[in-house]
Amino acid sequence: MNIDRFVLGFAGSVVLLSVALAHFVSPWWLLLTLFVGANLLQSAFTGFCPLAMVLAKVGVRSGCAFPSRK
């Protein structure tokens, strides 16, 4: 699994988790969904993603969207 797929999978999981928490606990959990969506949008334009940077440091194989920067 490369960084791109890991980031997308992680973001999707957090969105699903926050929607479930919003349904069962409090609608304020939708702010987490908003944060994840905003982060995905800004990373599409800037290429900056904190999770991708962490994964690159731990040795996960780079992808097209988030190439490793040395």
Side-chain angles (χ1 to χ4, degrees):
M1 182 177 279
N2 63 20
I3 290 176
D4 301 345
R5 289 178 183 254
F6 194 94
V7 167
L8 292 174
F10 183 79
S13 299
V14 171
V15 166
L16 290 175
L17 176 66
S18 68
V19 168
L21 287 169
H23 180 72
F24 292 111
V25 179
S26 167
W28 286 101
W29 281 104
L30 290 175
L31 291 174
L32 182 58
T33 302
L34 177 69
F35 173 75
V36 171
N39 193 25
L40 284 171
L41 186 62
Q42 74 83 23
S43 70
F45 289 104
T46 65
F48 174 75
C49 177
L51 178 59
M53 293 168 48
V54 170
L55 292 172
K57 290 209 189 272
V58 237
V60 178
R61 195 169 38 99
S62 66
C64 297
F66 305 109
S68 61
R69 297 178 181 137
K70 296 184 180 188

